């Protein structure tokens, strides 16, 4: 539930809580050693999105120069977290990514960088991390689109994405839904 802080109307929030679902481990992790702090520096890496791909912990990384660089300097990399091996490099000109795995397909959602502005949200997908397809899934005329996040829901899939739509406070979040991730 929600913890009462001061005069919060807890009863109001209780009515909008989603139903409690049983927790089903997707990838059970058995600790094999003590947790150690490790610092890994990857130059020009910004947004990251962790995901399990074929039983392995991986990290989708948005790579771009700290100076911003040109669109051609932006791209996406999928890296095995244990070996640090780059499994895929794709999406030249894209950044601000999020990763999502559904059934046997890896999905990446990212914004297109053009003239130092962020446009559209494009979905990239692959079953083998070698052959990639892509499709624009959110397109807005008079606003920039930034970070996105995708999850499965009871009626399909939901995407949250940031916008600079002048109607709202900067970096407000809008939502999009899809029954099948394709439409």
């Amino acid at each position: 539930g929600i913890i009462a802080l001061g005069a919060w109307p807890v009863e109001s929030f209780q009515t909008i809580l989603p139903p409690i679902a049983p927790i089903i481990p997707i990838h059970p992790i058995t600790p094999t050693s003590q947790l150690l702090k490790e610092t890994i520096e990857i130059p020009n890496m910004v947004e990251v999105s962790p995901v399990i791909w074929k039983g392995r912990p991986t990290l989708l990384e948005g790579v771009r120069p700290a100076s911003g660089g040109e669109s051609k300097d932006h791209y996406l990399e999928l890296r095995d977290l244990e070996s640090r091996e780059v499994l895929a490099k794709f999406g030249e000109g894209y950044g601000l990514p999020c990763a999502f795995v559904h059934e046997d397909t890896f999905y990446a959602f990212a914004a297109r960088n053009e003239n130092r502005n962020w446009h559209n949200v494009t979905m990239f997908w692959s079953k083998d991390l070698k052959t990639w397809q892509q499709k624009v899934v959110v397109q807005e005329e008079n606003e920039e689109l930034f970070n996105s996040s995708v999850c499965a829901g009871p009626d399909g899939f939901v995407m949250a994405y940031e916008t600079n739509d002048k109607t709202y406070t900067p970096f407000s979040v809008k939502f999009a839904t899809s029954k099948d991730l394709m439409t």
Side-chain angles (χ1 to χ4, degrees), residues 48-49 60 95-100 106-110 147-150 159-160:
V48 298
S49 185
L60 177 62
L96 311 173
C98 74
F100 183 72
F106 181 92
Y107 295 88
F109 297 85
N147 296 296
S148 59
S149 182
V150 175
M159 172 190 283

Side-chain angles (χ1 to χ4, degrees), residues 131-146:
T131 305
W132 290 92
Q133 297 180 61
Q134 69 184 67
K135 174 182 179 178
V136 173
V137 293
V138 178
Q139 186 172 15
E140 299 290 352
E141 292 289 324
N142 299 314
E143 60 190 275
E144 287 185 78
L145 303 180
F146 306 100

Side-chain angles (χ1 to χ4, degrees), residues 13-127:
F13 288 108
Q14 293 294 344
T15 64
I16 61 171
L17 284 175
I20 296 173
I23 297 174
I24 301 170
I26 294 172
H27 179 68
I29 297 174
T30 306
T32 56
S33 62
Q34 185 177 354
L35 195 59
L36 301 171
K37 182 179 178 179
E38 179 180 348
T39 301
I40 298 173
E41 291 187 30
I42 304 170
N44 300 326
M45 191 258 303
V46 283
E47 291 79 15
V48 298
S49 185
V51 67
I52 302 296
W53 171 249
K54 301 208 179 212
R56 302 281 299 167
T58 59
L59 193 64
L60 177 62
E61 302 170 345
V63 181
R64 70 176 190 246
S67 64
E70 302 297 319
S71 294
K72 65 179 177 54
D73 301 324
H74 299 230
Y75 58 92
L76 309 177
E77 269 186 355
L78 183 64
R79 187 179 300 270
D80 183 291
L81 274 175
E82 293 171 350
S83 71
R84 301 300 300 150
E85 173 190 0
V86 174
L87 304 173
K89 180 178 174 180
F90 61 99
E92 182 179 304
Y94 288 83
L96 311 173
C98 74
F100 183 72
V101 173
H102 180 64
E103 296 175 349
D104 63 346
T105 305
F106 181 92
Y107 295 88
F109 297 85
R112 179 176 51 84
N113 182 275
E114 186 177 297
N115 301 323
R116 297 186 182 239
N117 293 311
W118 296 98
H119 304 279
N120 310 332
V121 175
T122 299
M123 176 178 68
F124 297 86
W125 71 96
S126 177
K127 291 181 180 290

